[in-house]
Amino acid sequence: MTDARFADADPAPLALLAGDAEDLTVISTLVQDAVLQVSDVSYDSRHRQLALLLNRFRWEDAEQARREDRPYERVRAVLLISDVQKVQSDGIDRRDTDLVLELLALQWQPGEDGAGRLLLDFAGDGTLAISAECLNVELRDVTRPYIAPSRKMPQHPGD
């Protein structure tokens, strides 16, 4: 197996930046149902960045895949949160590196002078709370899309 290259991706890989709550809504929608292991979360306090390596469901392609009757896809993506001051977790055992997390949503709670808290909500009531100097979130696809192992679109109660 050879390494994937951005040039191989069709369509082009996503590269988005959120600097306000409206932008964050777009990124939150695109990372809904992404899965990752606890070991795929890395905090660099020196550079004030939190990185998550996600297996992201390609929501932007789901309708076309359904119309073309082809399998749904996922893609490896990095969710990078910058200007981080502190990271806290609730309901997530960070020592269990094999624990699989399912990301449900990103929420911004604004504070004073542009600062605030970014909440990453996971299935099973787990949350990462990131205190940040400002909202600075990047989503970047880093591999070619691949067929979702389940071959299905994620479902939610009431869907």
Side-chain angles (χ1 to χ4, degrees):
M1 178 176 192
T2 61
D3 287 341
R5 300 176 310 145
F6 283 125
D8 295 333
D10 182 28
L14 288 182
L16 303 172
L17 180 64
D20 62 34
E22 188 175 333
D23 296 340
L24 187 66
T25 300
V26 173
I27 289 179
S28 181
T29 300
L30 290 168
V31 299
Q32 181 180 8
D33 300 306
V35 292
L36 67 152
Q37 290 182 296
V38 168
S39 60
D40 292 328
V41 179
S42 175
Y43 178 49
D44 180 347
S45 60
R46 193 174 124 228
H47 290 103
R48 300 177 4 163
Q49 293 183 319
L50 179 73
L52 293 85
L53 182 59
L54 310 171
N55 294 297
R56 184 179 72 75
F57 184 80
R58 293 191 65 230
W59 288 107
E60 70 277 16
D61 181 62
E63 182 58 30
Q64 186 171 347
R66 187 192 60 74
R67 278 195 313 268
E68 294 174 1
D69 195 31
R70 62 176 166 77
Y72 294 108
E73 296 175 338
R74 285 190 174 266
V75 64
R76 295 284 277 178
V78 171
L79 184 67
L80 182 66
I81 302 153
S82 298
D83 302 307
V84 174
Q85 297 170 316
K86 182 165 104 177
V87 179
Q88 297 173 294
S89 64
D90 183 33
I92 298 170
D93 183 355
R94 294 190 292 180
R95 294 167 297 174
D96 183 357
T97 57
D98 292 329
L99 177 65
V100 175
L101 302 171
E102 180 182 356
L103 185 56
L104 299 178
L106 307 178
Q107 299 178 56
W108 177 247
Q109 297 177 333
E112 294 183 24
D113 298 326
R117 282 180 14 129
L118 178 64
L119 302 178
L120 281 67
D121 296 323
F122 295 92
D125 297 326
T127 302
L128 285 179
I130 297 107
S131 297
E133 190 175 294
C134 63
L135 181 58
N136 187 351
V137 177
E138 181 180 345
L139 176 65
R140 184 174 300 274
D141 291 345
V142 294
T143 67
R144 290 184 67 179
Y146 59 91
I147 295 173
S150 70
R151 296 183 172 264
K152 297 178 183 175
M153 180 185 296
Q155 298 293 313
H156 304 102
D159 281 358

